[in-house]
Amino acid sequence: SVSERDTSKSCSACGRTDDRQRVERGLYVCDDCGLVANADTNGAENIRQKVLPNPRREDRDNGWLAQPAVRLFDRSEGGFAPREQVAQTNREP
């Protein structure tokens, strides 16, 4: 687990750290490289870089493809099931 403490105080693009870069609630501006971003997004990117370091800074690809699971509520069974199962069991004849 990576602590989120102080992650929004440094620029996720160039690494500059300055308490004044967070200009107002939710807005992060880096005077060095010109990055303008949501402060939480900048902090999240700093955490991602710690957890999944990438030697090439211009490419954020870590080799994994996100494949979110879709689960729907199946009324006939009274629970959640993958979309394919719900679609097959709830078809009208």
Side-chain angles (χ1 to χ4, degrees):
S1 171
V2 175
S3 172
E4 65 183 69
R5 184 176 178 86
D6 296 333
T7 55
S8 62
K9 290 183 178 181
S10 62
C11 178
S12 61
C14 73
R16 178 176 185 237
T17 300
D18 187 341
D19 288 341
R20 295 170 296 157
Q21 291 182 166
R22 193 167 179 161
V23 294
E24 59 182 77
R25 182 163 175 75
L27 181 62
Y28 182 89
V29 178
C30 179
D31 293 333
D32 280 3
C33 72
L35 175 73
V36 177
N38 175 283
D40 291 338
T41 302
N42 179 65
E45 176 60 16
N46 282 327
I47 292 172
R48 187 206 61 83
Q49 289 174 13
K50 287 179 184 177
V51 174
L52 299 171
N54 190 328
R56 298 182 312 169
R57 303 233 353 135
E58 73 276 359
D59 182 6
R60 294 176 16 158
D61 183 18
N62 64 7
W64 291 85
L65 177 63
Q67 297 178 336
V70 176
R71 302 182 71 78
L72 301 176
F73 187 74
D74 184 347
R75 284 190 264 178
S76 64
E77 298 291 323
F80 288 91
R83 178 189 305 194
E84 297 79 23
Q85 291 177 2
V86 173
Q88 290 173 359
T89 60
N90 287 342
R91 285 194 179 149
E92 298 283 328

